[in-house]
Amino acid sequence: MQISTGQKAERSIKGAIIAVFIAGVRRWNPGAIVNAVIGFAAAYLPDIIERQYDIKFQPWQRVYTGIAMLMHAVGMLGPYDDTWWWDHITHTLSASLLGGAVHVAAQRCGRDPQRSVLTAIVGGGVLWEVMEYAIHGLTDRLDLEPVLIPYSARDTIVDLFFNLLGALLVLLFGDRLLQNFIQDTD
């Protein structure tokens, strides 16, 4: 059986996430470990969704999902602290994944996706930022290495801005790029 380029890319991405996990264990970096585990599991979401809902992802959509997960995991090894734009990219990628899923769900239910996507991204983004502060506060109290780090109020606002950028990209290109998930209602 010949493996497609998309399948090779997916396997490479999953292998890279495993490498981040190993690096996280070697450095005893709980943030990298947790993000790698979550990212590895999330990289299998297209397989699960395809089986559960009888839909088919395009190879680029599968790779896009994996890249988003890899970017988060790698970020915990240093790029979140060392590369000023890394957090912006990961928030945009994550928001576009969530926004894409909400876009498809809204269209499948016969609703206009614009309000649903914006509500999910704004609400999800605010919940995420609150969770970052809560987890950081808890790890501080327990004298543990933080898994998530809120840097400042300005950082939170910038994160929410890039979440909105991800939502905007979905609203601009979602009808065309997510067409393979939309059921015909005719």
Side-chain angles (χ1 to χ4, degrees):
M1 181 171 108
Q2 190 169 348
I3 298 174
S4 73
T5 303
Q7 290 170 320
K8 288 178 188 175
E10 273 189 274
R11 287 182 181 177
S12 296
I13 291 165
K14 290 172 184 169
I17 294 171
I18 290 170
V20 170
F21 175 80
I22 292 168
V25 169
R26 290 182 70 176
R27 296 179 187 183
W28 190 239
N29 179 331
I33 294 167
V34 169
N35 275 272
V37 168
I38 292 170
F40 188 75
Y44 282 94
L45 281 176
D47 296 327
I48 295 165
I49 293 169
E50 281 183 344
R51 281 193 297 272
Q52 187 71 28
Y53 296 103
D54 193 33
I55 57 174
K56 187 76 174 143
F57 279 79
Q58 298 295 322
W60 74 265
Q61 292 165 328
R62 299 172 75 81
V63 170
Y64 185 87
T65 301
I67 288 171
M69 298 303 104
L70 178 60
M71 294 284 291
H72 277 292
V74 167
M76 297 307 290
L77 294 175
Y80 277 127
D81 294 323
D82 303 335
T83 308
W84 67 267
W85 49 263
W86 196 273
D87 194 40
H88 307 331
I89 297 295
T90 58
H91 274 271
T92 304
L93 288 170
S94 296
S96 66
L97 286 175
L98 176 59
V102 171
H103 186 281
V104 168
Q107 288 223 338
R108 283 182 152 222
C109 293
R111 287 184 271 148
D112 178 22
Q114 186 170 356
R115 175 181 281 165
S116 299
V117 168
L118 290 173
T119 300
I121 296 307
V122 170
V126 168
L127 285 174
W128 179 263
E129 296 300 323
V130 167
M131 184 180 73
E132 270 188 0
Y133 279 97
I135 288 173
H136 188 73
L138 179 64
T139 56
D140 269 355
R141 283 181 188 247
L142 298 174
D143 199 30
L144 298 171
E145 183 79 23
V147 176
L148 298 171
I149 301 169
Y151 292 96
S152 66
R154 180 188 178 283
D155 176 67
T156 298
I157 291 168
V158 171
D159 288 350
L160 294 172
F161 170 80
F162 281 97
N163 290 347
L164 284 173
L165 177 61
L168 178 63
L169 292 171
V170 169
L171 294 176
L172 288 173
F173 302 109
D175 288 334
R176 184 172 23 145
L177 297 177
L178 300 170
Q179 192 58 37
N180 55 306
F181 297 120
I182 310 303
Q183 290 179 334
D184 289 329
T185 55
D186 297 337

